[in-house]
Amino acid sequence: MNAQAPTDLRTLSYAEAIREAMAIAMEADPTVILMGEDIGVYGGAFQVTLDLIDRFGPDRVMDTPISELGGAGVAVGAALTGLKPIFEFQFSDFAMLAMEQIVNQAAKLRYMLGGEASVPVVFRLPAGSGTGAAAQHSQSIEAWFGHVPGLKVLQPATPEDAKGMLLAALADPDPVMIFEHKLLYKMKGHVPAGSYLTPIGKALLRRAGTDVTIVAGSIMLHRALEAAEKLAAEGISAEVIDLRSIRPIDHETILASVRKTGRLMVVYEGVKAFGVGAEISAMVAESDAFDYLDAPILRLGGADAPVPYNPDLERASVPQVDTIEAAARRLVRREV
Amino acid sequence: MTLPDNRPFAIRHFAPAALREALKKMYLIRRFEEGAEDSYMRGLIHGTMHLSIGQEASAMATCMELTDNDKITSTHRGHGHCIAKGAEVGRMFAEFFGKETGYCHGRGGSMHIADVKTGNLGANGIVGGGLPIAVGAALSAKRLGKSDVTVCFFGDGANNEGAFHEALNMAAVWKLPVIFVCENNGYGMSTSTARSTAVTHIADRAAAYAMPGVTVDGNDFSAVAFAMHTAIARARAGEGPSLVENLTYRWRGHSKSDRNRYRSKDEIEDWMTRDPIARFRAELIAHGILDEAGAEAVAAEAIADVQAGIEFARSSTAPSISEVTRYVYAEV
Ligand SMILES: Cc1ncc(C[n+]2csc(CCOP(=O)(O)OP(=O)(O)O)c2C)c(N)n1
Ligand SMILES: [Mg+2]
């Protein structure tokens, strides 16, 4: 994925990279604990924690009862008082049961207490559609948390970033939510050994181009890159930016790209309305980059519906390579 | 002098035809789930599913005295509840196959299987999601002056959600006609009740909400039916909610991706010797409701229904992609 791979070409899956980050952190820091449903002997619903219980024992790899509100709240309280919990929601959809503790408590404690308190909790949230799990197990709700001052919201697209972001989140004194895409868990890629931090709040130019800027995160990055490759064959040069961080959002990288290409497309899996695309579009419209636009901004997001069960409907409800490609073509040829 | 009738409750209480039908539906649940499992293996069904094989008596005996006007809220492990409440397996298979003829027009799948017309308000992808909804359904019945009751199925794992505690409290405070039926199969996914739950029996929690709570052998049809008979009578009489805990066991893994690392083969095999269907069938034969040939005929009917159901589902059409947003709002 990265143009110049370092000397060691170790390859891990996205899930393995996350597990490696947790293991590194737990070895280095006895205050790091894992909490979540079925993360012990079961190894996690997506087998991310896998055998960590064998390495660190049940006191540090804690199976919680099915109590999201309480469990997340216990993690917040522990973070407030000296532990560094990594709390896994079995599916990001279940974070809705814990909204109170995430939004009213974790996000606001530092501020409400005038900077006297710190909540260094990390929430891991498997997200996204494509598994046939229907409306309550397939959502992409990361943008919801972008609306909450006090939280940091990340979306790794590669194994390398999945590891680096988790380590960065643990090093961060504030609550961080990491949305992991379920379809990426098995994806392999180069992952540096040892500890390294992926900077929070930095987007990354993944492919340079001149005709259109495509901003995409998580699995949409891969679809956008594939679409860009196809577009190149017909003479359209797309620049692809990996958003990586929803909050804070990297204005500079996006604006610089738009000034260069004059066209912007934002691709995301969450419901299109009121989503990540709205924030990025407004940010461009409010900046000097607006003057560089040669075409209206285009958002490509999830359908205005819950995620359906039927596999064909499910595919059709979120952006795919072909829909990204077609939308970019329309934008560049000014058919919008 | 007449001797006391020592026959099991179900044998005394229900007509032979109803008992025969109950056995048929228990077979239907088992064969339906085996058919679904097989279709999944063959790639005809995607996603995942949660099978209730081994828990059929709990579903069926719980629903024995319910009419189509009575409501149930179901769970992710809800195929048995759906069939017991009266759904047709053809439309259920059609849903699993993602077809327009399915109960949810292909939008919901296994985890959201429902049949609103027979009073099944739906399975639920959210553990504990149905508990407050059931209380709301009971509130409707009470306010609208109906004698309908609502049965709320939930698992042992769900009793640790806040929704469980909030729901039971409101049901009790407002004396609502709802019966909370805990299908305690020993585990919430991989976590045993011993590791997740402070009380030994979920029914012990009823005391905290001032309602009767009983724990019964959930693989004993008659025991479940009697507990439900008592709870339903109380609800219909306006005396308020009850909690019934059916002790049972799921033979299969939690879902399609379970490696069964948290329980032993011996434990699973031991429970498989306590098959609720075989037990109920033997009871019906022992009390002369059916003979061997009659029981075989019932079992064969279930197989035929399942085969016809799969055929119906396979030959049904899929929803049109242009209708992705259909059913989000009412069509006006
Ligand atoms: C709010 C919520 N948390 C977690 C899950 C994931 N999950 C689905 S079923 C299940 C176990 C439920 O256990 P129990 O209530 O005992 O029902 P059983 O599966 O044993 O029938 C879990 C953890 C979920 N669907 N919803
Ligand atoms: Mg259970």
Side-chain angles (χ1 to χ4, degrees), chain A residues 1 4 23 61 76 84 107 119 123 166 170 178 211 224 242 311 321:
Chain A
M1 176 101 348
Q4 203 60 56
V61 182
V76 170
K84 283 193 184 149
V119 186
F123 293 112
L166 184 49
L170 277 165
I178 307 181
D211 296 332
D242 180 358
V321 174

Side-chain angles (χ1 to χ4, degrees), chain B residues 4-327:
Chain B
D5 188 346
N6 284 330
R7 293 175 306 161
F9 168 78
I11 305 292
R12 279 184 277 131
H13 188 72
F14 298 110
L19 292 168
R20 182 186 192 281
E21 181 64 16
L23 181 65
K24 153 95 188 274
K25 281 192 181 172
M26 284 164 72
Y27 273 118
L28 200 52
I29 296 169
R30 177 78 52 94
R31 300 282 105 86
F32 173 86
E33 290 200 315
E34 287 167 352
E37 191 173 36
D38 180 65
S39 303
Y40 178 88
M41 300 299 183
R42 292 201 265 142
L44 295 164
I45 296 177
H46 83 146
T48 191
M49 63 176 77
H50 306 89
L51 301 173
S52 67
I53 292 176
Q55 305 186 177
E56 295 88 349
S58 170
M60 191 60 232
T62 294
C63 292
M64 271 315 267
E65 290 189 38
L66 303 181
T67 72
D68 283 359
N69 292 327
D70 296 319
K71 307 291 186 279
I72 65 168
T73 59
S74 174
T75 69
H76 57 284
R77 204 172 301 288
H79 312 152
H81 311 151
C82 197
I83 291 171
K85 194 70 176 51
E88 292 163 27
V89 293
R91 290 197 62 195
M92 289 177 68
F93 274 122
E95 186 56 37
F96 289 24
F97 285 43
K99 301 298 178 71
E100 190 64 52
T101 51
Y103 275 113
C104 315
H105 302 281
R107 273 41 168 209
S110 157
M111 219 160 9
H112 303 291
I113 195 73
D115 178 14
V116 177
K117 290 198 178 67
T118 56
N120 179 357
L121 302 178
N124 212 308
I126 299 301
V127 168
L131 280 142
I133 294 174
V135 176
L139 176 66
S140 281
K142 185 170 178 172
R143 291 290 312 152
L144 300 175
K146 296 175 177 170
S147 63
D148 310 339
V149 301
T150 301
V151 168
C152 173
F153 285 103
F154 64 103
D156 48 284
N159 99 98
N160 293 313
E161 288 283 13
F164 166 85
H165 298 271
E166 297 179 25
L168 264 72
N169 184 56
M170 284 184 280
V173 167
W174 296 328
K175 278 198 165 192
L176 297 176
V178 53
I179 299 103
F180 299 100
V181 176
C182 181
E183 301 193 291
N184 182 349
N185 57 14
Y187 297 88
M189 210 156 148
S190 69
T191 310
S192 66
T193 50
R195 293 203 299 125
S196 68
T197 305
V199 291
T200 308
H201 290 125
I202 312 303
D204 295 346
R205 295 210 153 145
Y209 304 103
M211 68 178 77
V214 288
T215 301
V216 301
D217 177 349
N219 286 0
D220 178 350
F221 185 94
S222 219
V224 175
F226 180 65
M228 286 306 298
H229 176 73
T230 312
I232 291 170
R234 176 178 148 86
R236 291 210 205 278
E239 289 160 20
S242 306
L243 196 166
V244 174
E245 175 183 20
N246 299 334
L247 299 179
T248 183
Y249 198 80
R250 64 167 156 73
W251 294 7
R252 296 293 199 268
H254 166 73
S255 67
K256 296 274 90 191
S257 53
D258 187 344
R259 294 178 297 156
N260 274 321
R261 286 184 66 197
Y262 51 88
R263 55 182 192 172
S264 68
K265 226 172 146 240
D266 284 352
E267 181 184 288
I268 300 171
E269 278 166 8
D270 178 46
W271 273 94
M272 287 176 71
T273 64
R274 298 182 238 169
D275 181 350
I277 301 181
R279 237 168 115 174
F280 185 51
R281 173 180 163 142
E283 195 163 282
L284 294 188
I285 292 172
H287 293 281
I289 307 293
L290 286 173
D291 56 16
E292 270 303 330
E296 271 316 299
V298 166
E301 281 170 31
I303 292 173
D305 284 4
V306 163
Q307 280 166 349
I310 291 176
E311 252 341 285
F312 169 76
R314 292 189 72 151
S315 60
S316 292
T317 51
S320 155
I321 284 177
S322 64
E323 297 196 338
V324 161
T325 58
R326 190 168 177 199
Y327 308 121

